[in-house]
Amino acid sequence: MSFLRTISSSIIALAATLLLAGTLHAADVSMANGSVQFHTPDDWVDILDTQGDPEVHVFQVPDTSATGKVSLSRVTVTVKQVGDISGFQQYVSTSSAKALTLPGYKAAAVPPRPNTFVYTAQESGAQYSYSERYWLKDGNAIQLRCLRPSESAAGPAWKAAFEKGCDGIAAKLK
């Protein structure tokens, strides 16, 4: 019986190791057949990517504080084929309308910028800060959505690094 227990333990340990090894740290990302390219900070973890239309990449931004154990800070880049400015405007309108339905939605008091939406909303009982930016490039609507807990025990340095990472991607997506 101990032989089977040892084998079972070994299989579980191997599976856990493979799962951890399968977690991809982000770096250079190419989407929409190479027309959308950007680089993420090395400590961001690529937790989801889909192919097709839309094409989506989701990155976890690690927060090692107590806040990070219950809240998931993440950045999503979505690329959707729209063809022209009319399709782009429709995509932005539809996406921003979804934000209005989030529990506790409240627009942030920041100067308006074109195709940019900054707001807070509730997620799993916690207050989150959202930033959504949109671009039209080569017939594709591109959405960059950055969300993090409004308050994190990680402190202002972590928040600044999060914002810097989002701004870095935004600069490449323009």
Side-chain angles (χ1 to χ4, degrees), residues 92-170:
V92 172
S93 293
T94 301
S95 297
S96 60
K98 287 179 188 176
L100 295 172
T101 66
L102 293 172
Y105 172 89
K106 183 178 178 189
V110 296
R113 291 183 288 169
N115 299 319
T116 300
F117 304 90
V118 181
Y119 57 94
T120 59
Q122 297 285 318
E123 181 178 295
S124 302
Q127 186 78 4
Y128 272 76
S129 296
Y130 292 75
S131 170
E132 294 182 7
R133 302 175 226 190
Y134 298 85
W135 299 272
L136 177 62
K137 182 176 182 183
D138 298 330
N140 294 302
I142 303 167
Q143 178 197 47
L144 171 63
R145 186 177 199 218
C146 303
L147 64 143
R148 60 171 177 72
S150 295
E151 299 296 325
S152 173
W158 179 85
K159 179 183 172 186
F162 179 92
E163 298 299 332
K164 180 180 178 184
C166 286
D167 290 343
I169 291 175

Side-chain angles (χ1 to χ4, degrees), residues 3-155:
F3 175 73
L4 289 176
R5 199 171 297 152
T6 302
I7 293 293
S8 295
S9 296
S10 296
I11 290 172
I12 291 169
L14 178 61
T17 301
L18 289 173
L19 283 173
L20 290 173
T23 302
L24 299 175
H25 286 275
D28 292 320
V29 180
S30 178
M31 300 174 73
N33 295 319
S35 68
V36 175
Q37 297 184 14
F38 57 92
H39 182 83
T40 64
D42 292 334
D43 64 332
W44 288 16
V45 180
D46 192 348
I47 59 174
L48 174 74
D49 66 77
T50 66
Q51 302 300 309
D53 187 35
E55 185 175 351
V56 180
H57 270 276
V58 182
F59 307 95
Q60 178 184 1
V61 181
D63 174 352
T64 57
S65 74
T67 309
K69 292 179 183 15
V70 295
S71 300
L72 181 64
S73 300
R74 58 198 179 276
V75 174
T76 303
V77 178
T78 303
V79 178
K80 170 88 175 125
Q81 296 175 9
V82 294
D84 60 18
I85 190 70
S86 176
F88 172 72
Q89 290 169 335
Q90 180 62 39
Y91 178 77
V92 172
S93 293
T94 301
S95 297
S96 60
K98 287 179 188 176
L100 295 172
T101 66
L102 293 172
Y105 172 89
K106 183 178 178 189
V110 296
R113 291 183 288 169
N115 299 319
T116 300
F117 304 90
V118 181
Y119 57 94
T120 59
Q122 297 285 318
E123 181 178 295
S124 302
Q127 186 78 4
Y128 272 76
S129 296
Y130 292 75
S131 170
E132 294 182 7
R133 302 175 226 190
Y134 298 85
W135 299 272
L136 177 62
K137 182 176 182 183
D138 298 330
N140 294 302
I142 303 167
Q143 178 197 47
L144 171 63
R145 186 177 199 218
C146 303
L147 64 143
R148 60 171 177 72
S150 295
E151 299 296 325
S152 173

